[in-house]
Amino acid sequence: MATDVGGSRTQAGRATWGSKIAFILAAAGSAVGLGNIWGFPTVAGQNGGAAFLLVYLGGVAFIGAPVMLAELILGRRTLRNPVGAFKALAPRSAWVMVGGLGVLTGVVILSFYTVIAGWTLAYILKTITGTFGAGADTAAIFADVAGNPVAAIGWHLAFMIITIAVVFGGVRDGIERWTKVLMPLLAVLLVLLAIRAVTLPGAGAGLEFYFKPDFSKVTGGVVLAAIGQAFFSLSLGMGAMITYGSYVSKKDDLVSSAAWVTAFDTSIAILAGLIIFPTLFYAGLEPGVGGAGMVFVVLTSLFGSIPPEPYGGVIFGTGFFLLLAIAALTSSVSLLEVTVAWLTDERKVPRHRAAIMLGGLAFLIAVPSALANGAVGWLSSLPVVGLDFLTFLFTIFGQYALVIGALFISLFVGWVWGISAAGEEVRVNDGKFPLGRTWAFLIRFVCPVAIVLILGQLIYSLIG
Ligand code: TRP
């Protein structure tokens, strides 16, 4: 149980977060990332705005939050990484493969995630130096960063090194220390940018698109997009929350922690929409322009005219890319930490060596992704699938693998390892499990059924 070792509390020899708040910030840091600030407004813009927002909120509450709690329970019960957690609860069974899929998914998501995060570093520099003045050719500037092999790989390497440096410090002195500084900074930047955006002339139309639902726009595809977005955004389905949960003290309450992390992540996604939509409508642009184009090409083209000129755009733009880089860093750290926890727990590799080995591996895997936005033609538009390599990896690992992982996690906790064992772990601190019955019903029935339907849709849309 909890013991004091040289002033730093550990639990059965495992590191723990310094406090419940430290854990909530770290987990929210994992969840809040490119997926919120760029992904959410993109997917919402392409799927009808307000109608999507409502479906998304439902998905987060009824599917995301219960899976989040299930992952935290698995982690804190076993005090292990995703592979170790399944090994501990279902020894020598095929369930261990769910953990294995999680670790593999972690390495791959880390690889392409840091490519995009690398662009944000390049863009901080570009905005601060006034590259995006009125009339700047933002498409050419983007091609110059993402389409230039040296720039793309160089910035990617820089971001990976920063990620490794944070993970190097470990749970308390690395992840916790940095998220405690970065998350408040992120919140302040976000609120300031949102205030600037909603007070732009013409922002009203953006707010209407974002908050006035048109239910005729809700289709199976919209529901699918919303749930997929929710898993990625909440860092679910690959054991990131198993790993972070394994550092939670037995004294802390898991239910309220899961609720806080979910609420944080969702609020920040909604706030990001408050920055993007008013700004797009201010410029008379379509909200459906998504992907790399939306942030790196479209948004930047507005910087030149954001009041007060001439510095409004420089300040707004620098703040925006700094925000994006910070959000990405606390997420990439969590992705690397999952894999590092696996190597240190299961293979007893020292943390420093594990961080360099796995960060290095992800860096190498990422090279084709870094070259997939113009630098190498066939990688930028793969034969047969027609996607660029980065988007292709995102589809397989950022969507399918997470949905499949979440399905098995809910089946395992709901039916195999069991609701009552899970309930015991929740009650270990104060004997209480608020909403325990509701959670059991959601994790046993609602989550698996919904996820199977989503998978069916995914496969159908792939074939059809
Ligand atoms: N949730 C992060 C985002 O929204 C990305 C991320 C970090 C992630 N860790 C994860 C996604 C684990 C899935 C699984 O950008």
Side-chain angles (χ1 to χ4, degrees):
M1 288 290 109
T3 46
D4 274 307
V5 182
S8 81
R9 198 175 47 167
T10 64
Q11 204 162 245
R14 192 175 191 74
T16 60
W17 306 108
S19 63
K20 181 174 165 188
I21 298 202
F23 159 65
I24 292 172
L25 284 180
S30 167
V32 175
L34 297 170
N36 299 60
I37 292 161
W38 163 16
F40 179 81
T42 302
V43 185
Q46 289 164 340
N47 288 282
F52 175 87
L53 179 59
L54 283 179
V55 178
Y56 181 78
L57 291 177
V60 164
F62 296 113
I63 302 172
V67 174
M68 165 92 60
L69 181 57
E71 286 203 26
L72 293 179
I73 292 172
L74 287 175
R76 196 180 62 175
R77 174 56 168 248
T78 59
L79 307 177
R80 286 286 170 279
N81 66 91
V83 171
F86 281 100
K87 263 194 202 163
L89 299 176
R92 278 179 292 281
S93 75
W95 288 102
V96 178
M97 287 165 55
V98 180
L101 175 68
V103 172
L104 172 70
T105 304
V107 179
V108 180
I109 296 182
L110 176 65
S111 77
F112 63 74
Y113 200 83
T114 42
V115 170
I116 301 167
W119 302 344
T120 67
L121 292 183
Y123 268 68
I124 294 174
L125 207 71
K126 287 205 179 291
T127 346
I128 226 171
T129 53
T131 312
F132 300 106
D137 185 349
T138 56
I141 296 170
F142 182 65
D144 212 40
V145 174
N148 173 330
V150 179
I153 294 179
W155 286 110
H156 167 229
L157 179 63
F159 199 89
M160 189 65 87
I161 290 173
I162 302 173
T163 304
I164 294 173
V166 175
V167 172
F168 235 67
V171 174
R172 285 269 181 111
D173 297 332
I175 304 173
E176 177 172 327
R177 173 187 290 173
W178 282 100
T179 44
K180 269 186 175 162
V181 177
L182 294 176
M183 292 308 283
L185 182 60
L186 176 137
V188 171
L189 279 172
L190 199 66
V191 171
L192 290 178
L193 291 171
I195 292 173
R196 168 67 284 187
V198 298
T199 52
L200 285 170
L207 295 177
E208 184 166 323
F209 172 76
Y210 195 29
F211 290 122
K212 211 167 142 205
D214 169 1
F215 288 105
S216 69
K217 298 220 170 108
V218 179
T219 60
V222 170
V223 178
L224 173 68
I227 313 270
Q229 171 64 26
F231 281 133
F232 187 85
S233 184
L234 292 167
S235 297
L236 298 176
M238 55 145 279
M241 292 300 162
I242 297 181
T243 308
Y244 274 24
S246 76
Y247 306 131
V248 174
S249 160
K250 296 278 183 192
K251 290 186 205 136
D252 290 337
D253 171 46
L254 291 178
V255 178
S256 62
S257 299
W260 273 112
V261 175
T262 308
F264 242 117
D265 185 70
T266 309
S267 317
I268 288 184
I270 293 174
L271 264 173
L274 276 183
I275 299 175
I276 303 278
F277 293 121
T279 312
L280 291 181
F281 277 84
Y282 154 73
L285 290 167
E286 274 296 303
V289 288
M294 186 176 81
V295 163
F296 293 97
V297 179
V298 179
L299 203 63
T300 48
S301 71
L302 310 177
F303 290 173
S305 64
I306 286 181
E309 285 179 56
Y311 294 115
V314 173
I315 297 169
F316 181 91
T318 309
F320 182 78
F321 284 110
L322 190 62
L323 173 76
L324 213 51
I326 291 173
L329 179 61
T330 51
S331 298
S332 64
V333 159
S334 79
L335 289 160
L336 181 58
E337 176 63 22
V338 172
T339 64
V340 165
W342 162 69
L343 209 55
T344 52
D345 287 350
E346 305 303 311
R347 300 265 178 265
K348 308 286 176 250
V349 176
R351 168 173 286 271
H352 287 184
R353 198 183 307 161
I356 293 178
M357 283 168 61
L358 290 158
L361 176 67
F363 171 76
L364 292 177
I365 296 176
V367 169
S369 294
L371 300 177
N373 270 271
V376 174
W378 68 271
L379 286 171
S380 308
S381 175
L382 291 178
V384 187
V385 283
L387 302 168
D388 67 88
F389 188 75
L390 195 159
T391 308
F392 178 67
L393 279 191
F394 170 75
T395 309
I396 304 292
F397 290 93
Q399 298 189 306
Y400 287 81
L402 298 182
V403 173
I404 292 170
L407 173 63
F408 284 119
I409 287 167
S410 52
L411 288 175
F412 183 75
V413 172
W415 298 97
V416 179
W417 177 52
I419 289 296
S420 63
E424 262 172 45
E425 182 56 36
V426 172
R427 288 192 201 88
V428 62
N429 60 325
D430 64 358
K432 298 200 187 88
F433 188 171
L435 293 176
R437 280 166 180 271
T438 313
W439 174 76
F441 177 73
L442 292 172
I443 206 76
R444 299 186 90 174
F445 300 102
V446 177
C447 296
V449 170
I451 297 172
V452 166
L453 290 177
I454 294 163
L455 267 178
Q457 258 273 351
L458 267 177
I459 292 166
Y460 178 78
S461 69
L462 199 71
I463 304 167

